[in-house]
């Protein structure tokens, strides 16, 4: 079980306060809101007609399977925050046929909780932790037209207010963000974001789309060899099972798959290094971030920056 690290950013050594966020190791939550999926909700719009037909005819079989393979987290967003998660993968949509403007999170199906009530909880948590910085990556936006985008963005501005860090901000270090009172970097994967200086563009996510630890590691190492992006980016430790695998392994779930591969992923994770080197990592996201100690392992990687700086000083003298 993960230990809580609710104020880990403010507790970092002062030598790291001037390191760019892009060079720190930051724990992230893949499909952060899937802990509250509504098993009785409609399928998302992007699902195929064939799968809709299958779901309609064999509902009593498909729904349990969807639920156990689409659920990637089992801790609430407040619990994830207190455990140390600072990057949240948030997939947002409007339900088909819904006459209201309420937006929900999705992963194959929709969540019980709405987006705004969830993000209100995040804003409240940040009030109690004024030196913690979160990165909210909003994406997908199925069923959301321009009018609904603008309405949602206005609500986000009202909700987070002066906590929102504008994208024109060139210096993204803990010290500079604390001085300005910024606590939220809001990534918004839509062309609509261009019109709003409070919104940041999409953050690259290295997604292996593999169901084994070795497959994920090989993919991430291949990307490291090509060189890291300049800005914020995510390395996904999350496993993915296709529908053929799911059909052939009826007793498994994403949870059992993740846990059975964790030891190999953990060993690889402990070998990683943050920083500016082309092979360095930045945000590292995974599944089941409470039961598995992702946060503490990722946060601990920042100690390597201290040792690196110390060795450079010794060489200088």
């Amino acid at each position: 079980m993960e230990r809580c690290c609710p104020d880990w950013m403010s507790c970092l050594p002062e030598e790291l306060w001037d390191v760019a966020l892009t060079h720190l190791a930051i724990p992230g939550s893949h499909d952060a809101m899937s802990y509250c999926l509504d098993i009785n909700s409609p399928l998302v719009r992007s699902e195929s007609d064939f799968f809709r037909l299958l779901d309609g005819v064999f509902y009593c079989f498909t729904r349990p399977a969807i639920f156990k393979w689409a659920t990637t987290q089992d801790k609430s967003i407040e619990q994830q925050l207190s455990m140390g998660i600072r990057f949240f993968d948030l997939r947002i949509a409007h339900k088909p046929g819904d006459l209201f403007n309420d937006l929900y999170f999705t992963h194959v199906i929709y969540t019980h909780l709405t987006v705004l009530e969830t993000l209100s909880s995040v804003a409240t948590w940040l009030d109690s932790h004024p030196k913690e910085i979160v990165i909210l990556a909003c994406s997908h936006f199925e069923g959301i037209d321009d009018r609904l985008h603008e309405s949602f963005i206005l609500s986000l501005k009202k909700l987070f207010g002066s906590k929102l860090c504008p994208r024109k901000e060139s210096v993204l270090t803990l010290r500079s963000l604390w001085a300005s009172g910024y606590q939220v970097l809001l990534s918004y994967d839509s062309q609509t974001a261009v019109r709003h200086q409070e919104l940041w563009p999409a953050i690259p996510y290295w997604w292996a789309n593999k169901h084994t630890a070795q497959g994920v590691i090989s993919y991430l190492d291949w990307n490291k060899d090509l060189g890291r992006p300049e800005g914020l980016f995510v390395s996904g430790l999350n496993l993915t099972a296709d529908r053929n695998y799911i059909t052939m392994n009826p007793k498994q779930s994403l949870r059992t798959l993740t846990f059975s591969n964790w030891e190999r992923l953990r060993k690889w994770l402990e070998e990683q290094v943050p920083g500016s080197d082309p092979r360095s990592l930045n945000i590292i996201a995974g599944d089941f971030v409470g039961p598995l100690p992702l946060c503490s392992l990722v946060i601990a990687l920042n100690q390597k920056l201290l040792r690196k700086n110390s060795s450079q000083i010794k060489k200088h003298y």
Side-chain angles (χ1 to χ4, degrees):
M1 179 64 72
E2 181 71 277
R3 62 184 174 85
C4 287
C5 305
D7 298 292
W8 69 265
M9 286 182 157
S10 59
C11 292
L12 285 176
E14 189 172 356
E15 300 95 303
L16 299 181
W17 294 359
D18 295 309
V19 173
L21 284 191
T22 55
H23 296 160
L24 290 177
I26 299 172
S29 176
H30 165 249
D31 262 310
M33 292 302 299
S34 63
Y35 65 85
C36 63
L37 290 173
D38 178 2
I39 197 170
N40 296 313
S41 76
L43 294 173
V44 295
R45 298 167 192 254
S46 56
E47 288 296 338
S48 68
D49 290 339
F50 175 74
F51 190 61
R52 289 181 188 285
L53 177 62
L54 200 66
D55 184 54
V57 176
F58 300 107
Y59 188 89
C60 59
F61 297 106
T62 57
R63 286 309 168 117
I66 289 170
F67 196 75
K68 70 179 186 177
W69 285 100
T71 299
T72 67
Q73 308 296 342
D74 63 6
K75 299 298 179 186
S76 71
I77 199 161
E78 296 93 340
Q79 289 173 312
Q80 292 181 44
L81 283 162
S82 293
M83 286 170 183
I85 292 294
R86 294 295 175 267
F87 169 87
F88 294 88
D89 169 25
L90 304 173
R91 305 178 185 199
I92 296 171
H94 183 247
K95 286 183 180 179
D98 192 333
L99 300 179
F100 300 98
N101 287 341
D102 288 336
L103 302 180
Y104 294 84
F105 302 101
T106 67
H107 194 206
V108 186
I109 51 179
Y110 299 84
T111 56
H112 286 286
L113 295 174
T114 67
V115 173
L116 288 181
E117 66 181 312
T118 301
L119 296 184
S120 294
S121 298
V122 173
T124 300
W125 189 93
L126 289 172
D127 287 337
S128 302
H129 302 270
K131 286 193 169 183
E132 297 304 300
I133 315 300
V134 299
I135 302 160
L136 306 178
C138 300
S139 65
H140 286 59
F141 300 116
E142 289 192 47
I144 300 179
D145 57 20
D146 284 346
R147 179 192 61 81
L148 202 45
H149 268 300
E150 291 297 339
S151 173
F152 178 46
I153 291 167
L154 179 61
S155 297
L156 291 173
K157 290 180 183 180
K158 288 180 178 178
L159 179 60
F160 291 114
S162 61
K163 290 184 177 71
L164 285 172
C165 176
R167 67 172 175 268
K168 65 179 177 59
E169 191 71 17
S170 57
V171 182
L172 289 179
T173 66
L174 291 175
R175 195 189 300 272
S176 66
L177 291 167
W178 293 341
S180 302
Y182 299 140
Q183 286 186 271
V184 179
L185 270 71
L186 186 54
S187 164
Y188 202 90
D189 189 7
S190 166
Q191 288 299 314
T192 313
V194 177
R195 302 196 289 267
H196 301 272
Q197 66 169 359
E198 297 89 349
L199 305 181
W200 291 70
I203 296 171
Y205 193 116
W206 289 353
W207 174 49
N209 194 20
K210 302 293 183 181
H211 69 264
T212 65
Q214 189 52 55
V216 170
I217 289 167
S218 297
Y219 174 80
L220 294 177
D221 282 339
W222 176 74
N223 274 282
K224 285 172 61 180
D225 289 340
L226 295 177
R228 57 159 290 162
E230 288 186 11
L232 294 165
F233 75 103
V234 186
S235 302
L237 288 186
N238 47 292
L239 302 170
T240 306
D242 61 25
R243 285 174 183 164
N244 183 56
Y245 181 90
I246 291 170
T247 303
M248 298 300 292
N249 295 272
K251 293 184 179 180
Q252 280 210 52
S253 66
L254 184 60
R255 186 185 181 93
T256 61
L257 184 67
T258 301
F259 277 64
S260 64
N261 282 271
W262 171 248
E263 193 58 27
R264 181 73 184 88
L265 292 171
R266 182 188 64 79
K267 288 178 180 177
W268 180 86
L269 176 57
E270 290 175 334
E271 296 169 357
Q272 302 313 301
V273 180
S276 58
D277 185 84
R279 286 179 54 81
S280 65
L281 298 188
N282 178 210
I283 301 166
I284 302 170
D287 294 333
F288 303 104
V289 296
L292 297 175
L294 177 83
C295 291
S296 54
L297 290 171
V298 174
I299 294 166
L301 296 178
N302 290 303
Q303 296 299 316
K304 296 183 181 182
L305 292 173
L306 291 175
R307 294 197 289 272
K308 184 177 179 181
N309 290 342
S310 176
S311 63
Q312 287 175 342
I313 291 171
K314 287 180 181 177
K315 286 181 182 178
H316 181 72
Y317 288 102

